[in-house]
Amino acid sequence: MTNQKQRVFSGIRPTGEIHLGNFLGSVNQWSELQNNYDCVFAVVDYHAITTTFESKELPKAIIETSKWIIASGVDQQKSLIILQSQIPEHTELAWILNCLTPLGELERMTQFKEKREQETAKSGIMAGLLNYPVLMASDILLYQTDLVPVGEDQVQHIELARDIAKRFNNRFGKVFTIPNYQLSKNARVMSLKNPTEKMSKTGDQGILLSDSAKEIERKIMGATTDTIASDQMSAGVKNLCNILQTVSPRTYSQMLEKYQKKTLQYLELKKVLAKELISYLLPIQKKYHQISDDQALEIFEKSRARAQSLAQKTLSRAKKTIGVL
Ligand code: AQP
């Protein structure tokens, strides 16, 4: 009997700076997962060019994203950390999967509908935006992934990847593992200004991992809390509490107790959260600043050969199965 660990795959787009939503919803789980799973973490640069991008900004975003991954505790001795464009099997399998994915399924994706509106106002909608979830399916399926940790906004894409894999396996014979997803405790960190919308790179960026203590404090003190008096906890307060629960569970319990006794002042909640979040992020920020650009790029080189051999194995099985010689 083999005692092989299950495979985890997760990726992040190098589009601008990482915010607290990306971090708590995704990257923050990676360093824990690597202790129990065989992990492949990817900076998915080909996903970054599916929306309006600046070619001058992209290398900087790739390097910064790589630094945040290392700073958050992902260890290249334990995990593969890859740059998607360095492993051409991702796009090659994506082409095959594109030819087996009904157009209607892609047009129904919520993120496509949302981004289509944003992109129309910028440089227009490109075919890559529609096909984004197929490339994502390829990223996941290439590594025979069992589990994908994601924020809530990506669940629909994982479901599509599952459908694509099942359809392929049923029609041609089993090639792909059917992946499951795992939501983090902070699967949907909301915008601080408008807590009914998610914190995002393109909307309200909220708190950036690179923000100074002063910036973090300013942004939290300016967060929307209650707009109308109600017995229900408002979306804004809930959001602040959820963040606090992750960065300081003990302080969260104290604040919750006060809330339940109706003695919690939102000013106090904000001050406490700002203090706890600043100390939570400080060691990660310090580590980030110690990593050079060269080191950030070297990590991709170190993982490339092993990742590519895993990817090639799946791709050649998929090609053979569909009859491509
Ligand atoms: N607000 C969020 N709460 C929890 N998780 C989130 N994620 C994104 N926003 C939140 C998760 O972060 C991971 C990486 O996302 P990404 O950077 O690859 O995706 P993205 O679409 O570029 O990120 P944004 O900030 O959401 O950008 P825009 O504004 O372009 O839509 C994913 O697991 C995602 O779920």
Side-chain angles (χ1 to χ4, degrees):
M1 209 167 85
T2 54
N3 200 11
Q4 244 191 342
K5 284 182 182 171
Q6 287 205 313
R7 168 82 30 80
V8 159
F9 178 92
S10 194
I12 181 158
R13 294 201 312 155
T15 44
E17 289 201 48
I18 295 194
H19 54 72
L20 197 64
N22 299 134
F23 183 66
L24 296 184
S26 184
V27 178
N28 200 25
Q29 302 177 73
W30 295 1
S31 57
E32 277 178 34
L33 285 165
Q34 68 186 351
N35 296 321
N36 299 315
Y37 293 91
D38 189 1
C39 297
V40 182
F41 298 122
V43 176
V44 287
D45 47 350
Y46 277 153
H47 284 281
I49 62 170
T50 58
T51 45
T52 308
F53 69 101
E54 289 293 335
S55 55
K56 281 196 194 116
E57 300 294 324
L58 192 54
K60 187 169 159 257
I62 291 170
I63 288 169
E64 284 176 358
T65 307
S66 160
K67 286 186 187 179
W68 285 120
I69 293 171
I70 309 170
S72 72
V74 177
D75 178 357
Q76 57 181 315
Q77 305 297 336
K78 296 182 182 170
S79 308
L80 295 175
I81 307 169
I82 60 166
L83 182 61
Q84 183 191 35
S85 62
Q86 289 184 343
I87 301 181
E89 285 76 5
H90 286 247
T91 38
E92 194 172 346
L93 179 63
W95 180 255
I96 296 174
L97 301 181
N98 261 315
C99 296
L100 301 168
T101 305
L103 181 61
E105 288 187 14
L106 298 179
E107 285 170 335
R108 271 199 295 278
M109 292 292 113
T110 310
Q111 208 175 71
F112 170 67
K113 289 183 197 162
E114 284 169 5
K115 293 217 154 97
R116 180 170 55 185
E117 275 184 33
Q118 293 162 8
E119 288 302 302
T120 307
K122 293 181 187 167
S123 36
I125 314 148
M126 303 298 155
L129 182 64
L130 181 74
N131 295 318
Y132 172 120
V134 184
L135 179 57
M136 185 167 158
S138 167
D139 300 335
I140 295 166
L141 301 180
L142 259 186
Y143 297 100
Q144 303 294 350
T145 300
D146 298 286
L147 196 68
V148 190
V150 281
E152 214 171 79
D153 58 332
Q154 292 294 339
V155 170
Q156 199 184 27
H157 291 163
I158 309 298
E159 278 163 357
L160 181 77
R162 286 168 60 84
D163 290 344
I164 292 174
K166 283 184 199 162
R167 202 178 297 128
F168 185 104
N169 288 351
N170 288 338
R171 181 166 163 197
F172 301 104
K174 188 174 181 302
V175 169
F176 300 119
T177 303
I178 310 298
N180 286 308
Y181 61 84
Q182 175 176 292
L183 285 178
S184 84
K185 278 181 282 173
N186 297 94
R188 199 167 168 83
V189 179
M190 306 309 282
S191 149
L192 295 177
K193 288 272 175 234
N194 183 1
T196 55
E197 284 174 12
K198 71 161 196 162
M199 193 179 280
S200 88
K201 294 194 195 108
T202 39
D204 169 27
Q205 296 184 323
I207 292 163
L208 302 176
L209 286 205
S210 60
D211 277 346
S212 65
K214 241 185 169 165
E215 265 303 276
I216 294 174
E217 194 176 5
R218 185 187 63 76
K219 287 179 180 176
I220 289 183
M221 298 315 284
T224 305
T225 44
D226 275 357
T227 40
I228 40 163
S230 156
D231 281 347
Q232 294 271 317
M233 190 183 270
S234 70
V237 176
K238 208 167 169 186
N239 191 32
L240 298 182
C241 285
N242 285 344
I243 299 171
L244 183 60
Q245 189 175 15
T246 298
V247 301
S248 175
R250 191 181 49 84
T251 325
Y252 164 75
S253 303
Q254 292 165 358
M255 292 297 116
L256 189 66
E257 206 180 311
K258 286 191 177 188
Y259 177 82
Q260 283 158 350
K261 288 184 186 157
K262 296 192 189 303
T263 57
L264 178 66
Q265 305 266 324
Y266 294 146
L267 186 67
E268 182 190 3
L269 171 66
K270 287 178 175 179
K271 279 189 178 160
V272 166
L273 174 60
K275 181 170 164 275
E276 296 294 345
L277 184 59
I278 289 164
S279 30
Y280 186 82
L281 292 180
L282 193 65
I284 301 164
Q285 293 176 327
K286 272 192 181 158
K287 203 166 162 200
Y288 174 92
H289 289 296
Q290 287 162 0
I291 304 165
S292 69
D293 290 5
D294 286 344
Q295 283 169 325
L297 289 171
E298 270 165 26
I299 61 157
F300 299 131
E301 276 307 325
K302 291 202 171 130
S303 297
R304 189 173 173 171
R306 171 140 191 270
Q308 192 154 22
S309 95
L310 293 171
Q312 260 165 9
K313 226 164 128 184
T314 306
L315 178 66
S316 55
R317 272 176 67 198
K319 284 167 79 170
K320 211 169 151 192
T321 312
I322 63 164
V324 175
L325 295 177

